[in-house]
Amino acid sequence: RDCARSDKLPTFSVQPVHYVKAIGAMLGTAIACGFIWAIIPFTAFNIMLAAIIGYAIADLVSRSVNRKRGPVLAIIASCGVVVSYAITVILPFGHFFPGFGPGFLYDFLAIIVGIIVAVNRLK
């Protein structure tokens, strides 16, 4: 036991500098995806688009930190999905925030799907 080293796998060994890189990659990707999400009309394609955006954000976060994974990186990518949707609401040509109704539930479901895809990509 004394000779064996029980280090983490390099894939899950994330340093603080990696978190800074991940946040930068997440913000850049979330802003770009938010503009794309705002341009596409509000249809049933919204849920599939949220899944694609969740995957794209998680993949670029992972690439920015040399394919590392971990729960904090998954949280960072999840925040990117929320930031991306927030941009679609803020932009004047984006989605109008529908309030609490069927549209809100549809948007909420899309955000949840995007978060699930992002978390599964980085866990």
Side-chain angles (χ1 to χ4, degrees):
R1 291 185 193 203
D2 295 333
C3 295
R5 294 183 354 171
S6 61
D7 290 339
K8 286 183 172 180
L9 289 173
T11 305
F12 296 99
S13 178
V14 184
Q15 303 298 322
V17 70
H18 292 124
Y19 295 130
V20 174
K21 288 179 183 180
I23 290 171
M26 177 271 294
L27 285 175
T29 309
I31 291 170
C33 288
F35 277 103
I36 293 169
W37 202 350
I39 292 170
I40 301 218
F42 187 76
T43 62
F45 185 65
N46 197 25
I47 292 177
M48 188 183 346
L49 187 61
I52 293 168
I53 287 172
Y55 186 86
I57 291 172
D59 189 56
L60 288 174
V61 164
S62 176
R63 286 178 189 230
S64 71
V65 293
N66 294 332
R67 300 282 187 194
K68 303 234 183 245
R69 295 174 176 224
V72 178
L73 293 176
I75 291 170
I76 290 171
S78 298
C79 291
V81 174
V82 175
V83 167
S84 182
Y85 179 76
I87 288 172
T88 66
V89 175
I90 292 171
L91 291 175
F93 57 87
H95 301 158
F96 173 71
F97 186 70
F100 292 102
F104 174 76
L105 293 176
Y106 195 68
D107 284 352
F108 186 72
L109 179 63
I111 293 169
I112 294 299
V113 167
I115 289 172
I116 289 170
V117 169
V119 167
N120 283 329
R121 176 75 178 87
L122 287 173
K123 71 175 187 175

